[in-house]
Amino acid sequence: MSLRHALLGLLAAGPASGYDLLKIFNVSLANVWPATQSQVYAELGRLADAGLVEVVAEGPRGRKEYAIADTGRAELRHWLTEVAPTRSGRSDTLLRVFFLGQVEPGQARAYLRRLAETAAGAERDLAALSDAVSAEEDDLAFYGRLALEWGLRFNAMQREWADWAERRIEEREAVARRP
Amino acid sequence: MSLRHALLGLLAAGPASGYDLLKIFNVSLANVWPATQSQVYAELGRLADAGLVEVVAEGPRGRKEYAIADTGRAELRHWLTEVAPTRSGRSDTLLRVFFLGQVEPGQARAYLRRLAETAAGAERDLAALSDAVSAEEDDLAFYGRLALEWGLRFNAMQREWADWAERRIEEREAVARRP
DNA sequence: TCTCGACCTGTCTAAATAGGAATGTCAGGA
DNA sequence: TCCTGACATTCCTATTTAGACAGGTCGAGA
């Protein structure tokens, strides 16, 4: 349940409302930890009940501004330094690869080619984002850029792998055609 | 809901029981699509109800052997060729990176170093597995090896990135120390 | 004035995931 | 003979996620 820690992490940078946080989830964190409205508002309520965050202001339109409490900051630090990351790795993209033997080799290659193209597109998008992001040197921006670089390298890796895998299938087809 | 398709994909290679399939989920697919007992048995029941798989034998100890039906095979092919992969990407490892500004730079570097070591360990394990896997040329083994290569490249990428990120933090610290 | 879009919070259900408990058969070794 | 471990299924609860739905304020512009 890292949604809790994602909220604490964002609030550590300054007070915000559920709506504010939601926008961050849909933009900066969309590729790292997506979250929906219902999740964010519900979890903020639970965090407030648990005393990890506090409502510091109520705006005119019902807006509630939350700030991280000391206990919340302690919990965040604990998670950052002492809780072992889970290597979940659930990927339907990769799952499909296992079963590509069920379709024609041509279709398998087409799947990998689409994968390579998708990765190339994502790479271009991230590169554009990387240029667009201002060079402010606050912590969130600095570490956000490290994560962005991860995305660039991940997509490059995926693109190269898909190309390589496609060639492997071609070779295998060529061998199979021989008597 | 790709658990369904994972089961269809495995059954496409031949009939099997829930217990057999479970072992595969815990070994070959553990890093791609983990699944628990309760999920596998429940989903097999639903697949049978939907007519995508059939019970072809009942063993002495209550063992039920399932085989894929034609409709199941069609559904599998449809998923492989026509359903767009979801790029979910939910990673608590990467989420932490965003918030590393909340702890001392030394702790942030330590986190990245642990990450690099974990990746290096996974790389070694996969390389050993790659050597151990027999060179049989059935489809599942061939495409499984492609997925294994993906894992090798992913871990190499992560290791290199973590090293790079650690150096970036060092540089930033050095700059901050200057007056 | 009226409407539209941005703002803002909340509830509801369904599904997927995690993990364990209960139950039982059967083969092989101490 | 008794115990252990592999085999094998089913049921259970709790949490997380996905996606709608419903409600409300306010400012700007047609």
Side-chain angles (χ1 to χ4, degrees):
Chain A
M1 63 155 166
S2 292
L3 172 62
R4 155 160 303 209
H5 299 108
L7 289 170
L8 288 174
L10 292 176
L11 288 175
S17 69
Y19 192 80
D20 297 334
L21 295 168
L22 217 37
K23 278 186 291 189
I24 300 178
F25 273 99
N26 289 331
V27 181
S28 307
L29 295 186
N31 298 307
V32 175
W33 204 275
T36 59
Q37 268 194 353
S38 45
Q39 276 179 284
V40 169
Y41 283 113
E43 191 62 36
L44 278 173
R46 281 191 289 266
L47 281 166
D49 288 345
L52 300 180
V53 304
E54 285 162 5
V55 178
V56 289
E58 297 219 23
R61 303 186 217 175
R63 173 191 166 99
K64 280 187 215 163
E65 199 163 59
Y66 292 91
I68 192 166
D70 288 343
T71 49
R73 218 176 276 275
E75 168 59 28
L76 177 61
R77 293 229 175 86
H78 172 252
W79 175 71
L80 281 170
T81 57
E82 286 165 55
V83 178
T86 63
R87 87 285 176 287
S88 88
R90 192 171 252 121
S91 161
D92 69 333
T93 294
L94 210 48
L95 181 61
R96 262 169 253 246
V97 172
F98 275 87
F99 306 133
L100 284 179
Q102 295 302 315
V103 296
E104 298 300 312
Q107 289 186 296
R109 282 192 288 124
Y111 175 73
L112 291 166
R113 207 152 51 238
R114 278 200 305 277
L115 217 58
E117 281 159 17
T118 304
E123 242 179 303
R124 280 192 297 272
D125 292 347
L126 287 175
L129 190 60
S130 178
D131 293 342
V133 160
S134 64
E136 331 158 32
E137 275 312 316
D138 62 280
D139 284 336
L140 202 59
F142 175 77
Y143 287 101
R145 259 202 300 283
L146 296 191
L148 201 149
E149 173 73 17
W150 188 96
L152 277 170
R153 290 176 182 228
F154 174 81
N155 281 290
M157 182 278 287
Q158 184 132 17
R159 177 175 47 71
E160 286 161 19
W161 169 82
D163 286 343
W164 170 86
E166 198 187 334
R167 282 196 304 276
R168 290 292 312 270
I169 297 178
E170 275 166 5
E171 285 169 28
R172 191 165 183 250
E173 272 189 285
V175 170
R177 266 199 302 275
R178 268 180 237 143
Chain B
M1 64 157 170
S2 292
L3 172 63
R4 157 160 301 207
H5 299 108
L7 289 170
L8 288 174
L10 292 176
L11 288 175
S17 69
Y19 192 81
D20 297 333
L21 295 167
L22 217 37
K23 278 186 292 189
I24 301 177
F25 273 100
N26 288 331
V27 182
S28 307
L29 294 186
N31 297 306
V32 176
W33 204 272
T36 60
Q37 272 193 352
S38 43
Q39 277 179 283
V40 168
Y41 283 113
E43 190 62 36
L44 278 173
R46 281 191 287 267
L47 281 167
D49 288 346
L52 299 180
V53 303
E54 285 162 6
V55 178
V56 290
E58 298 219 22
R61 303 185 217 176
R63 174 194 167 96
K64 280 188 218 164
E65 199 163 59
Y66 292 90
I68 192 167
D70 287 343
T71 48
R73 217 176 277 275
E75 168 59 28
L76 178 61
R77 294 231 173 84
H78 171 252
W79 175 70
L80 282 169
T81 56
E82 285 164 57
V83 179
T86 63
R87 87 282 176 290
S88 88
R90 191 172 254 123
S91 161
D92 69 334
T93 294
L94 210 48
L95 180 62
R96 264 169 251 247
V97 173
F98 274 88
F99 306 133
L100 284 179
Q102 295 303 315
V103 296
E104 299 300 312
Q107 290 188 295
R109 284 194 325 219
Y111 175 74
L112 292 167
R113 208 153 50 239
R114 277 202 303 279
L115 218 58
E117 281 159 19
T118 304
E123 242 180 302
R124 279 191 296 272
D125 292 348
L126 286 176
L129 191 60
S130 179
D131 292 342
V133 160
S134 63
E136 333 158 28
E137 277 310 320
D138 61 278
D139 283 336
L140 201 59
F142 175 78
Y143 287 102
R145 260 203 299 283
L146 296 191
L148 201 149
E149 172 75 16
W150 189 96
L152 278 169
R153 290 175 182 228
F154 174 81
N155 280 291
M157 181 278 287
Q158 183 133 18
R159 177 175 47 71
E160 287 161 19
W161 170 82
D163 287 342
W164 171 86
E166 200 187 333
R167 283 197 304 276
R168 289 292 313 270
I169 296 178
E170 275 167 3
E171 286 170 27
R172 192 166 183 250
E173 272 189 284
V175 170
R177 265 198 301 275
R178 266 180 238 145

